[in-house]
Amino acid sequence: MKISFTKPGLPETGVLVVMGYEGGTLSESALAIDKVIEGTLARAAKIAKFKGKVGEQVSVLAPQGSKLERIVMIGAGKPEKLDLLGAEVIGGTIYKSLAPEQPRTVSIAFDALEEGEGRVWEHAAHIAFGALLRSFRFDKYRTKEEADKKPSIRALKILTPSGGRARKAFETLEKVAEGIFLTRNLVSEPANILYPESFANICQELTELGLEVDVMGEAEMKKLGMGALLGVGQGSARESKMVIMRWNGQQSKGRKAQTTQVAFVGKGVTFDTGGISIKPAAGMEDMKWDMGGAGTVTGLMKALAARKANINAVGVIGLVENMPDGNAQRPGDVVTSMSGQTIEVINTDAEGRLVLADALTYTQREFEPKTVINLATLTGAILVSLGQERAGVFSNNEELAERLKKCGDATGDKVWPFPMDGEYDELIKSDIADMKNTGGRFAGSISAAKFLEKFIEKDTVWAHIDIAGMAWSQADKPTRPKGGTGYGVRLLDQLVADYFEG
Ligand code: BES
Ligand code: MN
Ligand code: ZN
């Protein structure tokens, strides 16, 4: 899809999309085209009981003799209430409903909002962003679908004043979308294709964007004493890996700054059978996306590099496959983590925290970042508490949790904070080791977070985001098809932009 921004004015061909506002008022362009087609649009709106709610649509065919194909009016709500996420819903909804017709050109006329009520160019950019996000498709394994049958829009034109500023804003959003698409692709890949080594190879391709990428194998991790991570991968025929991606984009007084400001750490279990504590068969296929945290970190690093963020950030992902096997780790085993702390493995299905433990220690010792944020599809319990609307945030720093909340609400990648009282530590006390890897039935997401906290060093500002409810979705949303969501890339890109850059 070729996306461009041009001056307002009625196009002569293709599909024209105009705005209709809540209460049924037509935008300027809607009125202009309606005049040409002798009031057909207003009539259709009335018959369809068009209310102008965000995303609502009414469509008429262009009259015979016109080179236009179709005129669509889309609801934009109350103009003074339309926010950037609403603009994205408009773009995404238009894409979804028109792409099956495979139009060559779709022109969206986005008239000025009333003065002082928002930056029109920014809304225009987000309409395009919404359409772009909705255009994602994971169709590489559909061999029977002919290329020319796939839904598509050849060219999308946003007709708006200040097209130049809109284009500039969109250029940044487009880079973020590239990161989101990488995450969606990674999360969608089946585990016979995406395993630790092949995942690491994909990360290595990101050096093209200026990222420094290093991969560690089992021998190196063993030397570093990563007994917790290695224990999880022990039953797999695939070698465990750790990938380190560095973006050194921070300029200070014209020179590259040396310190790492922030690190992102991801759980990358490329398939989670549960191990010897094996999961039931029903729904186990979902565990191909148990690398969602690592997928988000990778997509985020891509976005930061692509938009040349003014920051030094590092992304570290622990990649393992959790399998039952003659060599697999057993319930009751005690492993020693890189931090030196010992862990009694009560349940081999609580593996994500074991992987993260060593990835967190390594990240802090190697890069000494002030802030560490980890992402993981860590617990089924987070789905019980928050469903698929918000991820859970667990932090040792209220300000960081608050900032994540703000960025989440602004980007739609929403989070909700959980308590981290010391009393919860009781849940993971072991009789024979420094801790155990499960905390029982109650407060399952919190005891998992408390486990991770034991691997956070004294001065590190830290947050853990449990994305088990967010990485995958069985339902379409206006700005994404069902499947891998790419959750978290926008959230953390925004956090970097608002609080770390500049
Ligand atoms: N990968 C799962 C968590 C998960 C569940 C992610 C559902 C996405 C959807 C994790 O490794 C796991 O198995 N957690 C266990 C922990 C328990 C054994 C303490 C769980 O949530 O049941
Ligand atoms: Mn598990
Ligand atoms: Zn898991």
Side-chain angles (χ1 to χ4, degrees):
M1 183 165 57
K2 205 176 158 300
I3 297 177
S4 59
F5 297 84
T6 49
K7 286 210 190 66
L10 295 181
E12 284 173 358
T13 59
V15 179
L16 171 64
V17 181
V18 294
M19 307 291 136
Y21 296 119
E22 202 162 317
T25 36
L26 277 58
S27 65
E28 251 175 71
S29 333
L31 288 169
I33 188 71
D34 203 31
K35 220 166 157 189
V36 178
I37 60 174
E38 296 170 346
T40 311
L41 187 60
R43 232 182 107 223
K46 201 168 166 206
I47 291 167
K49 297 199 164 65
F50 178 82
K51 300 269 185 338
K53 291 234 154 61
V54 175
E56 204 183 333
Q57 288 175 82
V58 57
S59 156
V60 296
L61 285 175
Q64 195 112 50
S66 164
K67 282 198 203 137
L68 274 175
E69 290 159 24
R70 183 187 279 287
I71 296 141
V72 180
M73 182 155 72
I74 181 141
K78 294 202 172 98
E80 71 277 9
K81 287 247 172 81
L82 185 68
D83 57 14
L84 297 177
L85 291 178
E88 289 168 21
V89 168
I90 289 174
T93 306
I94 290 168
Y95 185 90
K96 156 98 199 298
S97 67
L98 293 177
E101 291 179 15
Q102 301 170 311
R104 292 173 67 91
T105 316
V106 173
S107 305
I108 304 177
F110 186 64
D111 308 298
L113 301 164
E114 275 157 53
E115 213 165 325
E117 283 163 353
R119 295 178 291 184
V120 185
W121 52 270
E122 207 173 6
H123 282 74
H126 280 262
I127 289 178
F129 187 43
L132 176 61
L133 290 175
R134 190 63 178 80
S135 73
F136 175 84
R137 236 168 154 244
F138 187 77
D139 51 14
K140 64 191 277 200
Y141 299 117
R142 297 197 204 179
T143 65
K144 302 260 161 94
E145 189 181 62
E146 288 158 41
D148 59 356
K149 298 264 158 55
K150 294 184 198 239
S152 71
I153 293 176
R154 183 90 64 87
L156 181 71
K157 294 184 177 162
I158 316 286
L159 313 178
T160 187
S162 344
R165 298 183 77 178
R167 185 177 312 115
K168 194 134 194 291
F170 179 69
E171 274 166 14
T172 305
L173 294 171
E174 206 176 11
K175 304 281 163 45
V176 177
E178 281 173 32
I180 293 171
F181 287 5
L182 173 58
T183 304
R184 289 181 183 173
N185 278 322
L186 287 167
V187 160
S188 305
E189 284 289 359
N192 60 329
I193 305 294
L194 194 79
Y195 45 89
E197 189 181 353
S198 59
F199 195 141
N201 290 342
I202 292 171
C203 295
Q204 248 153 355
E205 289 170 20
L206 297 177
T207 51
E208 279 173 27
L209 292 169
L211 281 166
E212 287 169 43
V213 181
D214 287 306
V215 180
M216 284 197 279
E218 288 181 357
E220 225 172 315
M221 289 193 276
K222 201 166 173 195
K223 256 195 226 144
L224 290 166
M226 295 189 182
L229 181 149
L230 290 169
V232 177
Q234 195 178 296
S236 170
R238 316 279 199 188
E239 187 185 350
S240 302
K241 302 277 181 189
M242 186 170 292
V243 181
I244 299 104
M245 294 167 268
R246 272 175 297 165
W247 170 247
N248 289 324
Q250 194 192 27
Q251 304 289 328
S252 109
K253 298 194 187 100
R255 289 177 40 223
K256 279 200 189 290
Q258 294 303 312
T259 53
T260 301
Q261 294 152 279
V262 59
F264 302 102
V265 178
K267 166 181 173 181
V269 177
T270 57
F271 197 80
D272 181 13
T273 62
I276 296 300
S277 313
I278 199 162
K279 288 180 182 294
M284 203 201 273
E285 67 281 6
D286 277 351
M287 287 301 109
K288 73 172 184 183
W289 49 264
D290 207 20
M291 34 53 68
T296 298
V297 169
T298 308
L300 172 69
M301 294 310 291
K302 178 171 188 178
L304 293 177
R307 70 171 183 79
K308 300 203 164 23
N310 183 11
I311 189 186
N312 287 350
V314 51
V316 175
I317 56 178
L319 301 172
V320 303
E321 187 183 51
N322 188 20
M323 299 291 271
D325 178 76
N327 191 43
Q329 124 172 301
R330 294 148 290 255
D333 282 5
V334 174
V335 295
T336 303
S337 64
M338 181 180 172
S339 72
Q341 301 177 93
T342 56
I343 305 158
E344 184 185 10
V345 179
I346 298 293
N347 188 318
T348 64
D349 195 13
E351 85 297 339
R353 62 199 78 182
L354 298 170
V355 173
L356 284 172
D358 283 337
L360 286 166
T361 300
Y362 174 80
T363 302
Q364 293 168 94
R365 299 219 172 141
E366 186 72 20
F367 301 106
E368 298 178 349
K370 188 162 178 280
T371 305
V372 173
I373 298 174
N374 74 259
L375 296 112
T377 50
L378 203 64
T379 65
I382 203 71
L383 273 141
V384 177
S385 20
L386 295 176
Q388 298 194 290
E389 298 304 325
R390 286 177 185 266
V393 164
F394 307 77
S395 181
N396 61 8
N397 184 286
E398 269 183 40
E399 187 178 56
L400 178 59
E402 189 51 44
R403 288 175 171 182
L404 283 164
K405 172 113 188 327
K406 269 201 190 135
C407 292
D409 289 339
T411 59
D413 280 355
K414 293 185 282 186
V415 302
W416 198 256
F418 275 67
M420 288 288 278
D421 305 69
E423 285 79 358
Y424 290 110
D425 282 319
E426 295 299 316
L427 298 173
I428 50 171
K429 279 199 170 143
S430 160
D431 290 335
I432 67 160
D434 296 335
M435 70 195 85
K436 57 182 179 181
N437 78 330
T438 54
R441 236 160 50 79
F442 297 154
S445 304
I446 302 175
S447 60
K450 284 307 241 177
F451 181 97
L452 298 181
E453 194 183 34
K454 296 205 180 291
F455 299 88
I456 297 306
E457 290 174 9
K458 205 167 99 275
D459 298 320
T460 308
V461 173
W462 163 75
H464 149 56
I465 309 178
D466 193 335
I467 61 169
M470 305 306 291
W472 186 267
S473 170
Q474 280 82 306
D476 286 354
K477 281 257 176 97
T479 55
R480 56 162 177 75
K482 64 182 175 184
T485 61
Y487 176 92
V489 174
R490 289 186 73 179
L491 169 68
L492 297 174
D493 178 73
Q494 193 71 47
L495 187 85
V496 166
D498 288 354
Y499 300 107
F500 289 96
E501 277 182 273

